[in-house]
Amino acid sequence: MARNLWIGAPGRLREIRQAAKSWDRTAELNVTEFKALEGRVTTFAPTRTARRLKLSFEWLEPADAQHLAQLARRVGTGRGPLVVLDPATVNLLDPYQAAGQSDIPGGWDHWFTMNGDIALARGADGITTVDCRDAAAAVGWIHGVWSGWPVEPGMRVSWLLPAGWDPATATAQLDWKAVDGTYLSTSHAVGSSVTATAPAGAAFATPVGRPGAVGLFGLAGGCLTLDEEPVAHALGDGCPAMVVTSYGDVPSARLPYRNVNLDLVEVRDAAL
């Protein structure tokens, strides 16, 4: 994964090269305990929980501090949520998506079928599989908020197909799209993975897989990364859409540098 933070509106990401003084990305479990009179404990936890990030910077460069201030104050960013490419992320796929799991039997929240005779179904083990009845068929991965995974031109993107796909017949593919979702171009390679550089004008990348053969193929184990080799079955950290919920800006002792802190939460949309 890229070792610097990228943050901003889709198509207008900025790289923050300075390392944060503190960075908290602990998963929020939201487990609630209920204790009966006889002492037995029952717990409840939602299936999904929102991601939260807390970060703070000391002596941040003025241009970077101004960028974060604009995002927090929603100046010139539009009304939608923000992109946050977390440098600690190993796999940009949604956690359940990376594990081949879906809340919907057909898996339409995480995948979509492209050309050819192809169908999605959930197996007895809970893993979604693709029934490929046409060797030319393809399946694409869905981000859930945007028309793909956010990128900036020049980024090196790598896509590893799910485990078990035959590299002799399969094709790994990245479709590049503009900020309005318009298709730009495709990068592909025969085998289990493809690595390509985001072209000019690219704001999103959509990973696509072509089994290249007839049969059932599992969708667990895929990995999407930036500037690093993808790892099969890596835990999906996702690339969630986020909104700033708390912001602090304190001038440092050495002006014009600033001490800045941000709290962000994962959202499905931002009605600001």
Side-chain angles (χ1 to χ4, degrees):
M1 191 55 198
R3 290 308 177 193
N4 291 326
L5 170 72
W6 288 80
I7 184 170
R12 290 176 288 170
L13 304 184
R14 181 180 179 87
E15 182 180 16
I16 309 297
R17 296 180 180 274
Q18 180 177 327
K21 177 187 176 183
S22 65
W23 183 276
D24 187 346
R25 62 193 302 275
T26 305
E28 188 176 75
L29 301 182
N30 289 332
V31 177
T32 303
E33 294 187 12
F34 301 92
K35 190 173 183 179
L37 292 176
E38 68 273 17
R40 294 182 179 179
V41 175
T42 301
T43 61
F44 169 80
T47 303
R48 293 177 176 269
T49 57
R51 283 273 304 279
R52 293 185 183 273
L53 293 177
K54 297 182 179 181
L55 59 152
S56 64
F57 298 89
E58 278 192 346
W59 292 21
L60 191 62
E61 292 284 346
D64 289 341
Q66 179 172 294
H67 178 71
L68 296 181
Q70 289 178 318
L71 299 181
R73 297 172 64 184
R74 302 185 293 278
V75 177
T77 61
R79 299 178 61 87
L82 302 175
V83 176
V84 181
L85 295 178
D86 180 350
T89 296
V90 177
N91 187 354
L92 288 170
L93 296 183
D94 176 270
Y96 293 93
Q97 191 176 43
Q101 299 175 346
S102 170
D103 295 331
I104 302 173
W108 305 116
D109 53 340
H110 289 320
W111 300 277
F112 66 96
T113 57
M114 297 178 68
N115 57 289
D117 189 1
I118 193 170
L120 300 175
R122 184 165 58 197
D125 57 357
I127 304 300
T128 303
T129 60
V130 53
D131 183 3
C132 187
R133 310 181 189 102
D134 181 349
V139 59
W141 274 248
I142 297 173
H143 181 274
V145 175
W146 296 300
S147 57
W149 276 257
V151 296
E152 279 288 297
M155 280 185 174
R156 179 174 168 269
V157 184
S158 295
W159 165 232
L160 177 67
L161 293 173
W165 290 33
D166 186 355
T169 60
T171 297
Q173 177 176 316
L174 289 167
D175 287 347
W176 307 106
K177 299 174 183 177
V179 68
D180 62 357
T182 303
Y183 170 82
L184 296 176
S185 61
T186 292
S187 300
H188 58 85
V190 176
S192 58
S193 67
V194 61
T195 297
T197 301
F204 300 108
T206 295
V208 175
R210 298 178 180 273
V214 175
L216 290 175
F217 301 88
L219 292 174
C223 183
L224 183 68
T225 63
L226 298 177
D227 291 331
E228 281 195 359
E229 292 301 315
V231 179
H233 293 291
L235 174 66
D237 279 316
C239 177
M242 308 198 87
V243 165
V244 177
T245 59
S246 177
Y247 165 69
D249 182 355
V250 179
S252 70
R254 284 181 51 193
L255 290 176
Y257 299 98
R258 316 296 284 265
N259 299 330
V260 176
N261 61 77
L262 290 176
D263 290 1
L264 303 105
V265 65
E266 176 183 358
V267 295
R268 295 299 297 182
D269 201 353
L272 303 174

